[in-house]
Amino acid sequence: MTSITPTRSRNVFDLSGVWNFRVDSANSGFDEGWFAGPLDGARTMPVPSSFNDVTLDTDERDHVGYLWYQRSVVVPRTPDGDHFVLRFGSATHSAVVWVDGVEVARHEGGYLPFEADITEQIEGKEEFLLTVAVDNRLSWQTIPPGYVAKDSRGRDVQNYYHDFYNYCGLHRAVLLYTRPDVHVSDVTVVTDVDGTTGVVTYDVVADGASEVSVVLLDADGASVATGVGASGELRVENANLWAPGRGYLYTLRITADTDVFDQTVGIRTVEVKDSRLLINGVPFYFRGYGRHEDNIVRGKGHDNVMMVHDFELMQWQGANSFRTSHYPYAEEVMDYADRMGFVVIDETPAVGMNTGLSGGIFGGEPKPTFSEDTINAQTQQAHAREIRELIARDKNHPSVVIWSIANEPETNTDASREYFEPLVKVAREADPTRPVGYVNVMLSTPPVEKIMDLFDVVMLNRYYGWYVNTGNLADAEAALRTEIDQWIEKYPGKPIIFTEYGPDTLAGLSDFHRRPWSEEFQADMLGMYHRVFDDYPEVIGEQMWNFADFLTTPGIMRVGGNKKGMFTRDRLPKRAAYEVRERWLTMQEKLGF
Ligand code: BDP
């Protein structure tokens, strides 16, 4: 399911705004039938946004369970026979949707879109009541996993093993769109380059359509190729390639009977070969960050202002890439990355699947990661679904060059291999064209790691100098070099990308002795890593942790959140930002992107 843009046959209405809202404090809304009519005792809540930081009521903010959203919607007039479809960019972490008290959709997974065709429910109506119950609970069978325990007041407390606050609610746009009965429901585009010719292979799903045709428009709207039939190959002479730093986009305009569907297309190739990742045959070096969807007050709520500003900051610094750590980002972000020529490592929400890490950082109870009672076959099915839904959503984005199927899972046990082997197959079946990887944790170094052979790239999060060898950069450097040597020896030919590294840094803390937490130490530690990377041609990328400071659960190692940002939470540069900028701009000038 790819994103929806308005066309001549499709109207798109944005239902964002200030909705009615109620926290279901006793989680009794289902039994009491809150979906059946206007919400009693409702307050206001902006959509899209996380609900948490909008309210000043601490109990409400940390509520575990259901959140109810409601608004009335006027039914637009459209040609007879048109269908009406609701589309949620996401609902974190699962949702049930009703139209005038009738259930129309259920969805699990907090970071991917879902739709409901509500044509029947609203037939003959001028207006309807839209109600959504969002459940923010994480269990061992959800992705990401977590578990709910009772505190001494008998209240539910959500525990989890990942390092970002469990923001929830309707984080992304809610749309109502119209389309003809016979319509395009999916399209897959794969591109290739043959000399100076761009090759665009397309495959349209439009059940019941008697005629399907396509036209490929260039960025000026001129037709450069046409095709007839639901699948085929288009050839574009002297194609304008999509490339890092150059987000050239064509539009594939599909007509299926009366439906018109627009799909943006970037013509490019991606390939992993001999310790390199090649984009259009040219070795690519990743400069950038792991990021979060995280902002003051709105939490994980998508906001175009913050999005454009964040890209502006990344460009200022000379970055050319990022990872959607640790979940799929809003579709607007993916579209914008295509347009800006950013290169993306696209990650599923499979994070916190490593109970061995629970000790100091996340404060969870020690339990085995994989067991009947923790991450089990049912979790694996949910994980497979997340991989499939992510790839279905993002397969046509030229910016996406690697699928990351998990962040820092346990991978040093036989159980982990049993768990992951089928999931790699799921990813490869869903997309045979892109490299697949997972992000490796420090506990899983080459001597003990058991699954890296299944993947195309080695992606490493390393904290030598911070969680170990704290403040001792000489020892940290030695340990880092030893480990890189081990990876190269064990997996010759696999490129290595550093997907996290960096210390917590308190903005404004200056230290003549350049000790941990100071802005000087961040500059030194990042500088040490960069010096090491420069010595290894097998290292093809540096994505420091994190683009900006972000909120986490409270913990003894977190001061108002995680402070590893290059920028503060309100997007001001820390001292290291200037040094890294110099490095990245120099690289950019040399490489041209
Ligand atoms: C890694 C995680 C990331 C954390 C980071 C840290 O991938 O989510 O925020 O380390 O500790 O464990 O700062």
Side-chain angles (χ1 to χ4, degrees), residues 163 326 407-408 461 463 467 500 545 550 558 562 564:
D163 186 34
H326 297 308
N407 178 71
E408 295 197 347
N461 293 352
Y463 289 96
Y467 292 121
E500 286 186 27
W545 190 251
F550 59 91
R558 297 286 176 262
N562 188 307
K564 295 192 183 70

Side-chain angles (χ1 to χ4, degrees), residues 262-274:
D262 281 353
Q263 172 63 57
T264 52
V265 174
I267 301 177
R268 60 106 182 91
T269 61
V270 180
E271 187 190 359
V272 169
K273 209 174 149 189
D274 304 332

Side-chain angles (χ1 to χ4, degrees), residues 48 171 295 298 301-308:
H171 284 152
N295 273 293
R298 43 181 85 56
H302 174 73
D303 181 330
N304 283 329
V305 177
M306 296 313 296
M307 174 184 77
V308 173

Side-chain angles (χ1 to χ4, degrees), residues 162-164 292 323 325-326 347 351 357 361-362 407-408 439 441 461 463 466-467 500 502 504 545-546 550 552 558 562-564:
H162 55 265
D163 186 34
F164 56 92
H292 263 298
R323 173 169 62 117
S325 40
H326 297 308
E347 190 157 279
V351 56
L357 274 178
I361 313 177
F362 312 127
N407 178 71
E408 295 197 347
V439 171
V441 69
N461 293 352
Y463 289 96
W466 187 247
Y467 292 121
E500 286 186 27
D504 281 271
W545 190 251
N546 184 285
F550 59 91
T552 62
R558 297 286 176 262
N562 188 307
K563 293 283 188 278
K564 295 192 183 70

Side-chain angles (χ1 to χ4, degrees), residues 272 275-277 284-290 321-323 343-345 401-402 435-440 452 456-462 484 487 494-501 533 536-544:
V272 169
S275 301
R276 299 277 178 278
L277 183 134
F284 180 68
Y285 190 87
F286 294 78
R287 300 187 305 268
Y289 335 75
S321 69
F322 60 89
R323 173 169 62 117
V343 173
V344 179
I345 300 175
V401 300
I402 296 174
V436 179
Y438 89 93
V439 171
N440 168 285
M452 197 59 90
D456 304 303
V457 286
V458 175
M459 298 196 279
L460 304 177
N461 293 352
R462 288 301 177 270
I484 297 177
W487 283 111
K494 274 200 213 298
I496 301 172
I497 304 169
F498 278 82
T499 36
E500 286 186 27
Y501 59 98
F533 300 162
Y536 288 95
E538 293 83 357
V539 173
I540 60 149
E542 51 193 60
Q543 294 188 330
M544 61 82 67

Side-chain angles (χ1 to χ4, degrees), residues 562-581:
N562 188 307
K563 293 283 188 278
K564 295 192 183 70
M566 183 76 86
F567 298 89
T568 58
R569 202 172 185 220
D570 49 0
R571 278 34 180 189
L572 298 174
K574 295 183 191 169
R575 194 161 165 163
Y578 296 97
E579 283 175 32
V580 174
R581 177 173 192 252

